[in-house]
Amino acid sequence: MQAVILAAGDGRRLRPLTEHLPKPMLRVAGRPILEHNVRLLVRHGIDEIIINTHHCGEAIENHFRDGTAFGARITYSPEDPVLGTSGALDPLRTRLTSTFLVIYGDNLTTCDLGALAHFHRARAATATIAVYERENATAGGIVAIAQDGRVLRFLEKPAGHEIFSSWVNAGIVVCDPEIFESIPPGFSDFGKDVFPAMISKQEKLFAYRMEAPRERIWWVDSPEDYERTKSELQTWIPN
């Protein structure tokens, strides 16, 4: 399986830390967040990785090079302007010809990617979103899930009165190439454009529930999040 790591954001809410550094290159437990994600993929046997870049992208390329030092084969997809979380896949249509994984490069996770991929394939899904329960569900995309795991509804960053679920998009998606039928050319976003379009067309969009505490996620959306994550994971190097 191939993987695309999304690393093109400018990390505006984390400035000045990200003034001259991509947000995924902030360090936790001695390594850039993005390196933790590369190592997570390699541990699960996913070594063909494409990283999209934009803000200070050279810092990412200088750190990872061709990926050999990390047991991976890494190539890059520079963007100018940025294309969004799903739009980032548009230039890669001819390269992603079988089941592939998309992971947001600025979060840390212990998601079982093997179990996620198995769940996806067992349901012959077009896309499967990894989801986790979050107390403050206004900070992400919330998901209503049927008993069989099919996604019934998706709402990106709801207001407090709009919350209908505590299950939140973890920023990890397994896709089959059929998803490109729902990705328009140019800028697009999974949460605002692609997932709602798939639901309206009754396409096979499923949710994989991460099992806490074994499967966790640490998001880094603000300076407070970053300090909390560093404090919790001072010596965190997962097996």
Side-chain angles (χ1 to χ4, degrees), residues 3 16-17 20 26-27 40 59 123 125 130 149 192 194 205 214 227:
L17 297 174
H20 304 291
L26 294 175
R27 287 181 173 265
L40 173 72
R123 287 153 183 79
K192 294 179 180 177
V194 175
L205 176 65
R214 180 176 63 89
E227 292 304 320

Side-chain angles (χ1 to χ4, degrees), residues 2 89 92-101 120 125-127 174-183 198 203:
Q2 297 168 283
L89 304 181
L92 307 175
R93 290 173 184 261
T94 60
R95 297 172 62 183
L96 300 171
T97 57
S98 59
T99 303
F100 62 94
L101 186 141
H120 171 85
T126 298
V174 180
C175 305
D176 271 19
E178 288 77 14
I179 197 170
F180 285 112
E181 296 174 12
S182 298
I183 298 177
M198 293 181 70
E203 294 187 10

Side-chain angles (χ1 to χ4, degrees), residues 34-35 38 60-67 70 74 76:
L34 188 56
E35 183 178 330
V38 167
I60 294 174
E61 295 195 33
N62 288 340
H63 183 83
F64 292 99
R65 304 292 180 177
D66 65 357
F70 304 92
I74 297 177
Y76 302 91

Side-chain angles (χ1 to χ4, degrees), residues 13 36 40 49 73 79 87 109 117 138 145 149-150 157 159 165 179 189 195 204 208 217 227 238:
R13 286 177 291 177
H36 286 293
L40 173 72
I49 300 169
R73 292 169 292 163
E79 294 180 5
T109 184
T138 61
I145 309 169
R150 188 181 288 268
K157 293 185 173 61
S165 172
I179 197 170
D189 180 82
F195 295 153
K204 300 183 75 173
Y208 167 84
I217 186 165
E227 292 304 320

Side-chain angles (χ1 to χ4, degrees), residues 68-162:
T68 300
F70 304 92
R73 292 169 292 163
I74 297 177
T75 56
Y76 302 91
S77 179
E79 294 180 5
D80 189 16
V82 293
L83 296 172
T85 56
S86 55
L89 304 181
D90 186 37
L92 307 175
R93 290 173 184 261
T94 60
R95 297 172 62 183
L96 300 171
T97 57
S98 59
T99 303
F100 62 94
L101 186 141
V102 179
I103 184 167
Y104 295 15
D106 54 2
N107 294 328
L108 287 160
T109 184
T110 55
C111 180
D112 186 338
L113 302 183
L116 169 61
H118 177 77
F119 179 96
H120 171 85
R121 288 176 169 136
R123 287 153 183 79
T126 298
T128 300
I129 312 166
V131 297
Y132 67 103
E133 287 195 284
R134 185 172 182 178
E135 184 175 345
N136 177 16
T138 61
I142 58 174
V143 185
I145 309 169
Q147 189 171 0
D148 67 351
R150 188 181 288 268
V151 176
L152 301 174
R153 188 179 176 192
F154 190 100
L155 182 61
E156 186 70 23
K157 293 185 173 61
H161 68 278
E162 296 177 309

